[in-house]
Amino acid sequence: LMEWLQAHPAPVRRTKRRSLSVVYRATKWRLRDRLTEVDMIRLVLAFQTGIATKELAKRYGINVRSVRKLLREEGVKRKSWKDVQV
């Protein structure tokens, strides 16, 4: 078997790869692990007072999508264009 493997090497894939080394994340994955209950309550209250999601994401060090997901899970209604009065 070893002789056959040496005689027939596996084809080399010529694809661009970023890196062969393994990168471990220093941060925790789940949003509930990264924010405390108090932080989540403060985030929701800050949003309800009018602070933008981008500002909240920057303040708490999370992604804007994470802010939106947290607001959705907490049952906070976000304004849509239908709610805007012209």
Side-chain angles (χ1 to χ4, degrees):
L1 179 63
M2 293 301 292
E3 292 174 6
W4 185 87
L5 289 174
Q6 290 173 351
H8 300 89
V12 177
R13 295 183 183 192
R14 304 215 181 253
T15 59
K16 293 183 180 179
R17 293 187 180 192
R18 292 183 189 165
S19 174
L20 296 177
S21 63
V22 177
V23 177
Y24 294 101
R25 291 183 179 260
T27 59
K28 297 178 182 177
W29 282 89
R30 293 188 309 178
L31 186 60
R32 305 267 178 204
D33 291 340
R34 290 181 274 163
L35 297 177
T36 63
E37 285 292 323
V38 175
D39 287 338
M40 288 188 272
I41 292 169
R42 287 181 181 164
L43 190 144
V44 170
L45 290 175
F47 178 78
Q48 289 173 340
T49 58
I51 298 177
T53 54
K54 284 184 181 181
E55 177 61 32
L56 292 171
K58 191 186 313 182
R59 183 182 294 178
Y60 288 97
I62 58 177
N63 196 314
V64 175
R65 291 176 67 182
S66 298
V67 172
R68 291 180 188 150
K69 180 180 177 184
L70 176 68
L71 293 171
R72 185 176 57 247
E73 288 175 355
E74 294 295 324
V76 177
K77 296 289 184 183
R78 296 176 53 226
K79 292 183 181 178
S80 67
W81 285 106
K82 295 176 186 176
D83 299 330
V84 177
Q85 296 177 1
V86 179

